[in-house]
């Protein structure tokens, strides 16, 4: 799993990467397939290249979002499976941008209150392979899952001045614009993992599973670097207007 954290408080706003990659792949004991090791929950299986939006979750001040799990995969459903969890909202209050910033700092569980928002992802994969007439093994079918979730502040105060409401709406819009850029990178690299697994050259049956894992893991590392570069280029969202002022 990887997460990007945003809305740095109280003076800097934007994003910095906080990477903790969960590589959800493992060789089954029989050595025939690779499967994810995420908990077996009732996750939504989504057809190739289609996304599903889960219901939003609301937490209390300081409450962390639930653990993000990988998609349930099967080579009976090959291709890219996109899953959206949450978003997870924590409630904040205030009538001025300064008051809201203070509540975000006090309530956010992201980066010990240093950041307002977080976007997390889990990428996992599952392949099956078969023997060729030359005695080698070749990937037969591959499935790759991408599950993403935002953790965001939620605010509403009808008594607040119009300027505060306008500032909040602009802040959230730009915050989501930046995070959408991260999700686009995540999807791009999930697609690269899928195409790489599908095109993996035939090889020794005893090592093909390891080669598949290594190839996918390498692309996950490339994704982390791409997300870090995106944050650097955008000033962690500052150049996209992620300011509450």
């Amino acid at each position: 799993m990887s997460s990007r954290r945003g809305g740095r408080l109280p003076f800097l706003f934007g994003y910095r990467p906080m990477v903790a990659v969960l590589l959800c792949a493992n060789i089954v004991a029989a050595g025939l397939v690779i499967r994810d090791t995420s908990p077996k929950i009732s996750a939504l299986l989504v057809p190739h290249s289609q996304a599903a939006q889960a219901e939003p979750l609301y937490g209390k001040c300081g409450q962390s979002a639930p653990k993000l799990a990988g998609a349930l995969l099967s080579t009976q459903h090959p291709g890219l499976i996109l899953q959206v969890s949450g978003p997870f909202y924590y409630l904040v209050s205030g009538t001025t941008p300064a008051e809201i910033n203070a509540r975000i700092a006090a309530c956010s569980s992201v980066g010990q209150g240093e950041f307002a928002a977080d976007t997390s992802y889990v990428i996992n994969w599952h392949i099956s392979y078969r023997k060729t007439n030359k005695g080698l093994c070749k990937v037969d079918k591959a499935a790759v899952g991408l599950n993403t979730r935002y953790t965001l502040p939620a605010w509403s105060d009808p008594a607040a001045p119009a300027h505060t409401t306008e500032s909040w709406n602009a802040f959230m819009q730009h915050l989501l614009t930046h995070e959408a850029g991260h999700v686009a990178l995540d999807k791009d690299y999930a697609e690269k993992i899928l195409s790489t697994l599908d095109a993996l050259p035939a090889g020794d049956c005893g090592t093909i599973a390891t080669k598949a894992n290594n190839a996918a893991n390498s692309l996950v590392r490339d994704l982390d670097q791409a997300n870090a570069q995106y944050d650097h280029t955008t000033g962690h969202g500052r150049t996209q207007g992620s300011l509450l002022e």
Side-chain angles (χ1 to χ4, degrees):
M1 181 175 68
S2 180
S3 60
R4 280 82 55 183
R5 299 173 175 182
R8 192 169 186 176
L9 302 168
F11 304 111
L12 296 179
F13 300 86
Y15 294 76
R16 68 180 175 90
M18 184 63 67
V19 177
V21 179
L22 174 63
L23 303 179
C24 301
N26 187 31
I27 303 172
V28 171
L32 296 178
V33 296
I34 299 175
R35 63 175 173 81
D36 69 282
T37 57
S38 301
K40 299 303 179 185
I41 61 171
S42 299
L44 178 63
L45 276 179
V46 187
H48 178 69
S49 296
Q50 294 184 8
Q53 173 69 55
E55 291 295 324
L57 303 172
Y58 291 88
K60 299 179 181 178
C61 180
Q63 181 178 348
S64 298
K67 182 179 178 181
L68 191 62
L72 294 180
L73 301 180
S74 168
T75 50
Q76 294 180 354
H77 302 278
L80 180 62
I81 295 174
L82 302 177
Q83 184 174 326
V84 180
S85 297
F88 178 82
Y89 291 102
Y90 63 95
L91 304 180
V92 297
S93 60
T95 58
T96 67
E99 290 177 356
I100 298 171
N101 283 331
R103 290 304 297 164
I104 289 175
C107 289
S108 175
S109 61
V110 179
Q112 297 181 337
E114 186 180 3
F115 296 92
D118 174 274
T119 297
S120 302
Y121 75 82
V122 172
I123 292 178
N124 56 332
W125 52 90
H126 183 145
I127 71 169
S128 63
Y129 50 89
R130 55 179 172 78
K131 282 189 175 181
T132 68
N133 55 12
K134 295 183 179 181
L136 300 176
C137 279
K138 174 68 176 172
V139 172
D140 183 36
K141 295 178 181 178
V144 173
L146 171 64
N147 188 10
T148 59
R149 181 183 60 211
Y150 296 155
T151 296
L152 299 165
W155 170 85
S156 179
D157 188 342
H163 168 74
T164 300
T165 301
E166 292 170 0
S167 295
W168 174 264
N169 290 340
F171 170 64
M172 290 301 296
Q173 179 182 350
H174 297 313
L175 197 65
L176 289 171
T177 294
H178 180 77
E179 288 303 334
H182 281 299
V183 173
L185 283 171
D186 299 342
K187 181 175 180 291
D188 181 43
Y189 275 83
E191 292 172 343
K192 289 180 180 180
I193 291 173
L194 177 62
S195 61
T196 297
L197 294 177
D198 280 333
L200 198 69
D204 179 78
C205 294
T207 60
I208 189 170
T210 299
K211 289 180 179 178
N213 271 342
N214 289 343
N217 288 338
S218 177
L219 284 167
V220 171
R221 290 191 292 269
D222 290 346
L223 169 58
D224 292 334
Q225 293 177 4
N227 275 313
Q229 181 59 45
Y230 172 65
D231 275 332
H232 176 73
T233 301
T234 62
H236 304 293
R238 293 176 213 161
T239 64
Q240 295 160 300
S242 58
L243 301 170
L244 179 56
E245 57 185 4

